Amino acid sequence: NQDDSAFLGAREVAMPITTSTLTTIAIFLPVVYIYGVAGQLFRDQAVTVAFSLVASLVVALTLLPMLSCRFYFRMKEDVSFQVPVPFGKVRKKPWRWLVNPLLSLIFQIRLLWFHFRKTIIIAGRRIWRALADRTGSALMPLFHWFDKFLQRLFSVYHKFLLRSLEKRRLFIAIVVCILLLGVVSVFHLNRKLMPRVDEGEFTVKMELPVGSTIEATEREAAKAERWLLKQKEVKAVFSTIGLSQDQSAMLTEEAALNRATLKVRLSREREISTAEMIARMRNEFSPMTMAKMVFDRGEQALQQILGTTTPPIVIKIRGSELTVCRSIADSVLRMISDISGLKDVHSDYIEGQPEYRIEIDRQRAARFGLSAVDVASAIRGYLSGEQATQFVEFDRKIPIIVRPVFKQRDDLEDLLNLTIRREKRQIPVRDLIKLTTATGPSEIRHEDQTRQISVLADLQGRGLNSAIGEIRDRLKRVHASQNYQILIGGEQEEVYRSFHSLIFAMALAVLLIYMILAAQFESLRHPFIILLDVPLTVSLVLILLWVSGIGLNVISFIGLIVLAGIAVNDSIVKVDFINQRRREGMPMHEAISDASKKRFRPIVMTSVTTILGLLPMAIGFGEGAELQRPLALTVIVGLTISTVVSLVAVPVFYSLLERKNHWKAMAGE
């Protein structure tokens, strides 16, 4: 009956389903302990998926078998209804209908409800059957075509499997070559931190020559604004010029009188990407301005979340003397500026504004009976003013500052002609000071308690590994003193840290999978056969990433880890079915053939449904889709390869290892 069918079906697949779910959970658990960018992105997702898989396992083993048997069998049964009868005492003594009219009313209501319910249920079932018949008739050609396609695919697969079982040595040799090629591809893969995300906005940093006035900076920024607003792809431009009130006491790279920052937001209906818009502005507008421009692509939101706001390439020059560090930085800048693929190569050293330095001649001031404090106070009072009194209004006290007008304070000659009164004598300031001109740094950056200047560069149209390799070769020609260091940082540092963390997580996940499989199969050999699927699948995926030039990033690496847990699911189902048939007394080769026939459709359908579920993520809709696409593509390609490996390679590995075990057992006897 239906209850026995549901029970037997759930029992047959309970072990492989439980094992598959536990192996997938084992993949996501180590992600919790990943640090760096990968941990920030996927820690919450890993916990969510783990709990979801536990819930899905409970539903698959309890609710779904019950619903399937009830729904399937009851839909085939005819509907039977029992007509309500009057109450027992009323039926024995009909004269009570006259005594208690309420019973008659209740019975009539029950009778009406019975007919209404019967009509609704019968009509609903007829409509459902009609829709099911119409839909089945319409889709029947598609079902027949798909069934024939699977049969043809199975026939091709079965022939290939038999050929592989006959020539196992050749098959193993091919597998070894694939594994070796996968190892080679690891060293040649283009590795980067994150995929480029087009957020539809970018930043332009304009720098005029040192000493330029804020009016000149405003003119160049306005010229850039007008050019940008003429472009149909530009929606809005926001400019920051010079120093704001909050930045007046703290000079930063963006806060200077000769610097301007333009934030550009593009329209959603644009036909070009943000990178193409930047290239257009670099080619068309750069010759029209005297300012040096540096572009920052629209990845600010993601970078701020992850805390990785530095460009892809950062070369750090460290040392004790800032002038020597600057000289080395200039040499590095000239050395790498012509490397292909590097854009917006610049230094983070901020050139200071030209300034006058006043040094008080203490000996000459002493001759006039003046101290250095007297001279400094007079100069400061002339430039900044002195408090004469206070304006008091209730509890408020407003200082009143007295100082010369701006035109007098802005003229150096007026300052030099300033006189200091001393014992009825007027002493000019020019006779008490030594005036020199100089240019000092606006800021001094430190890292690890050492002064540092960085050379920054963006990367476009080239892989990070090849660019770093060429930069290392160029830097060998830069001569630096013994106490000065030239280090390469930026994105490479986070790539190194994140990839090492991911490799550890993947190794830990594979170890957990092996432990779970060993406990479920009560064997050390069968889990090893199943796990042979993982290195073969990962090697083929890495080879495809290398050949296609896509490369590997943190997102696609997470896809590889997820793939390691998904890839073994099909192998678990197949090996478990082979073991069941062998326990029933079937020979090994017949058990492999029977498993290949009866588990072909479930394995293929499971992989197809997973691939179809990931297809919208791989296609990508809306802004930010580039962040999800590498994960989906890696899992889709890997799952396709894993399906073939589970159907072909796992039976070959099983027959090879079980055959050796059989001969060892025979030799022991």
Side-chain angles (χ1 to χ4, degrees):
N1 56 25
Q2 60 264 36
D3 295 335
D4 294 337
S5 300
F7 175 75
L8 294 175
R11 187 178 67 177
E12 183 176 350
V13 298
M15 199 277 282
I17 288 179
T18 303
T19 307
S20 301
T21 304
L22 293 178
T23 54
T24 309
I25 293 174
I27 281 294
F28 284 100
L29 285 181
V31 178
V32 178
Y33 302 100
I34 295 178
Y35 52 85
V37 172
Q40 296 180 50
L41 283 174
F42 292 99
R43 187 173 291 114
D44 296 337
Q45 181 181 2
V47 175
T48 304
V49 173
F51 283 110
S52 301
L53 288 172
V54 173
S56 68
L57 176 63
V58 175
V59 171
L61 293 179
T62 57
L63 183 62
L64 290 183
M66 183 271 294
L67 291 179
S68 62
C69 73
R70 298 299 181 195
F71 182 77
Y72 179 76
F73 283 98
R74 288 195 176 186
M75 284 301 297
K76 289 191 170 185
E77 294 175 355
D78 293 331
V79 183
S80 59
F81 297 92
Q82 185 176 1
V83 181
V85 297
F87 301 102
K89 294 182 179 180
V90 177
R91 185 172 49 189
K92 295 179 181 178
K93 300 178 180 180
W95 55 269
R96 290 194 177 186
W97 290 109
L98 301 176
V99 177
N100 195 349
L102 183 61
L103 294 177
S104 177
L105 179 62
I106 294 175
F107 177 73
Q108 293 298 327
I109 292 175
R110 288 181 60 194
L111 193 61
L112 288 174
W113 169 250
F114 164 75
H115 289 293
F116 176 76
R117 177 172 170 269
K118 178 180 178 181
T119 303
I120 293 297
I121 292 177
I122 292 176
R125 289 180 180 268
R126 288 178 179 177
I127 293 173
W128 174 260
R129 288 178 180 176
L131 290 175
D133 293 340
R134 297 282 181 88
T135 305
S137 300
L139 297 178
M140 195 58 67
L142 179 63
F143 294 157
H144 285 308
W145 175 85
F146 187 73
D147 190 61
K148 290 181 180 179
F149 173 76
L150 283 182
Q151 290 179 358
R152 293 176 183 175
L153 188 64
F154 172 74
S155 62
V156 174
Y157 154 69
H158 195 63
K159 293 178 182 178
F160 184 75
L161 177 62
L162 294 178
R163 187 70 59 87
S164 301
L165 289 172
E166 292 175 358
K167 300 182 178 181
R168 282 176 294 198
R169 293 183 178 179
L170 177 61
F171 187 84
I172 297 300
I174 295 174
V175 169
V176 172
C177 292
I178 292 174
L179 294 176
L180 293 177
L181 192 59
V183 174
V184 173
S185 66
V186 170
F187 297 98
H188 294 84
L189 265 176
N190 175 29
R191 292 183 291 272
K192 55 185 177 181
L193 183 63
M194 299 291 292
R196 293 289 186 182
V197 180
D198 191 349
E199 293 187 359
E201 61 182 44
F202 64 94
T203 302
V204 186
K205 300 176 182 178
M206 304 181 67
E207 180 183 359
L208 275 70
V210 177
S212 301
T213 62
I214 193 170
E215 290 80 9
T217 307
E218 184 179 4
R219 284 195 299 270
E220 295 299 323
K223 188 190 301 183
E225 285 184 9
R226 289 193 297 271
W227 186 90
L228 285 167
L229 293 174
K230 288 180 181 179
Q231 312 301 316
K232 63 179 181 179
E233 295 84 5
V234 176
K235 182 179 180 181
V237 181
F238 177 77
S239 302
T240 304
I241 303 170
L243 287 79
S244 65
Q245 186 175 3
D246 296 334
Q247 295 171 331
S248 58
M250 181 182 63
L251 288 177
T252 62
E253 186 177 355
E254 293 82 11
L257 296 178
N258 63 324
R259 295 173 182 265
T261 302
L262 282 70
K263 295 184 178 181
V264 185
R265 180 173 292 276
L266 303 179
S267 174
R268 291 189 177 183
E269 291 77 19
R270 65 186 186 277
E271 298 179 356
I272 61 175
S273 64
T274 303
E276 292 172 340
M277 186 64 204
I278 291 175
R280 181 194 296 179
M281 186 174 184
R282 183 184 287 116
N283 297 330
E284 298 181 8
F285 181 73
S286 293
M288 300 166 55
T289 179
M290 59 182 291
K292 183 175 69 174
M293 295 191 302
V294 176
F295 296 89
D296 186 8
R297 269 187 276 191
E299 302 168 3
Q300 293 88 353
L302 179 63
Q303 290 176 341
Q304 290 173 5
I305 292 173
L306 300 177
T308 57
T309 56
T310 57
I313 295 177
V314 178
I315 303 174
K316 304 175 183 179
I317 297 94
R318 296 180 182 176
S320 57
E321 293 294 333
L322 194 63
T323 54
V324 179
C325 291
R326 184 185 176 188
S327 176
I328 298 174
D330 293 338
S331 301
V332 171
L333 200 63
R334 291 191 300 269
M335 196 69 67
I336 70 170
S337 58
D338 59 342
I339 295 179
S340 62
L342 297 189
K343 301 294 182 181
D344 301 329
V345 183
H346 65 286
S347 172
D348 67 349
Y349 177 79
I350 301 177
E351 189 74 36
Q353 299 290 338
E355 61 188 17
Y356 290 109
R357 293 183 179 179
I358 298 176
E359 182 181 355
I360 300 173
D361 192 337
R362 297 176 181 269
Q363 293 181 357
R364 186 174 296 180
R367 293 175 188 172
F368 295 102
L370 296 173
S371 64
V373 176
D374 296 332
V375 180
S377 299
I379 296 174
R380 184 184 60 206
Y382 181 81
L383 295 176
S384 302
E386 294 182 355
Q387 181 177 340
T389 182
Q390 288 183 340
F391 176 75
V392 180
E393 183 181 6
F394 297 104
D395 58 341
R396 297 176 59 192
K397 294 182 180 181
I398 303 173
I400 298 176
I401 306 297
V402 179
R403 62 183 179 182
V405 296
F406 178 76
K407 291 183 179 180
Q408 293 178 344
R409 290 184 285 114
D410 190 49
D411 192 353
L412 179 62
E413 286 298 323
D414 291 338
L415 175 63
L416 296 178
N417 293 330
L418 174 66
T419 59
I420 302 175
R421 186 179 180 85
R422 186 68 175 178
E423 297 179 355
K424 299 181 181 181
R425 296 181 60 183
Q426 301 290 338
I427 306 168
V429 170
R430 67 170 69 246
D431 296 337
L432 304 174
I433 62 173
K434 295 178 181 179
L435 188 66
T436 58
T437 58
T439 301
S442 297
E443 65 177 15
I444 300 176
R445 300 174 184 261
H446 290 78
E447 187 170 331
D448 295 336
Q449 299 181 355
T450 306
R451 292 184 174 185
Q452 174 179 296
I453 296 178
S454 300
V455 176
L456 315 174
D458 196 4
L459 202 59
Q460 184 176 351
R462 188 173 183 180
L464 181 63
N465 291 350
S466 60
I468 292 294
E470 187 171 353
I471 289 173
R472 291 185 189 277
D473 295 336
R474 297 283 186 95
L475 292 180
K476 292 178 181 178
R477 290 180 268 171
V478 178
H479 301 286
S481 303
Q482 185 177 2
N483 297 328
Y484 293 84
Q485 294 179 312
I486 301 178
L487 306 174
I488 299 178
E491 186 176 313
Q492 188 192 23
E493 290 180 337
E494 187 62 36
V495 168
Y496 181 84
R497 191 163 64 121
S498 297
F499 273 48
H500 274 68
S501 179
L502 289 169
I503 291 173
F504 170 76
M506 191 169 188
L508 180 60
V510 172
L511 179 61
L512 290 175
I513 290 174
Y514 183 82
M515 294 170 63
I516 292 172
L517 294 176
Q520 290 290 333
F521 284 93
E522 298 181 355
S523 170
L524 299 178
R525 186 173 60 258
H526 292 158
F528 179 74
I529 296 172
I530 294 172
L531 282 178
L532 286 175
D533 187 359
V534 176
L536 186 57
T537 302
V538 172
S539 297
L540 288 171
V541 173
L542 292 176
I543 293 171
L544 289 177
L545 292 176
W546 176 35
V547 173
S548 62
I550 297 175
L552 189 65
N553 53 54
V554 171
I555 308 295
S556 54
F557 206 128
I558 290 288
L560 287 178
I561 296 178
V562 174
L563 182 63
I566 299 177
V568 300
N569 293 341
D570 296 337
S571 302
I572 292 171
V573 172
K574 192 150 192 172
V575 171
D576 179 70
F577 192 86
I578 294 174
N579 290 338
Q580 289 182 12
R581 290 296 178 264
R582 292 188 66 187
R583 284 194 294 266
E584 295 172 359
M586 188 177 292
M588 182 180 65
H589 285 284
E590 294 182 8
I592 293 175
S593 179
D594 189 50
S596 302
K597 180 179 180 181
K598 294 184 178 179
R599 285 293 176 262
F600 175 77
R601 184 183 291 264
I603 290 175
V604 171
M605 293 305 298
T606 302
S607 301
V608 169
T609 52
T610 307
I611 291 172
L612 292 178
L614 291 171
L615 201 57
M617 187 186 299
I619 297 173
F621 298 98
E623 296 181 358
E626 298 89 347
L627 188 63
Q628 304 172 352
R629 187 176 293 124
L631 173 63
L633 289 176
T634 303
V635 176
I636 287 175
V637 174
L639 192 57
T640 304
I641 296 172
S642 170
T643 303
V644 178
V645 171
S646 300
L647 291 172
V648 179
V650 170
V652 174
F653 296 149
Y654 186 94
S655 64
L656 184 64
L657 294 179
E658 286 295 318
R659 184 181 180 185
K660 288 185 177 181
N661 183 64
H662 174 72
W663 286 112
K664 287 182 180 179
M666 294 291 292
E669 294 177 0

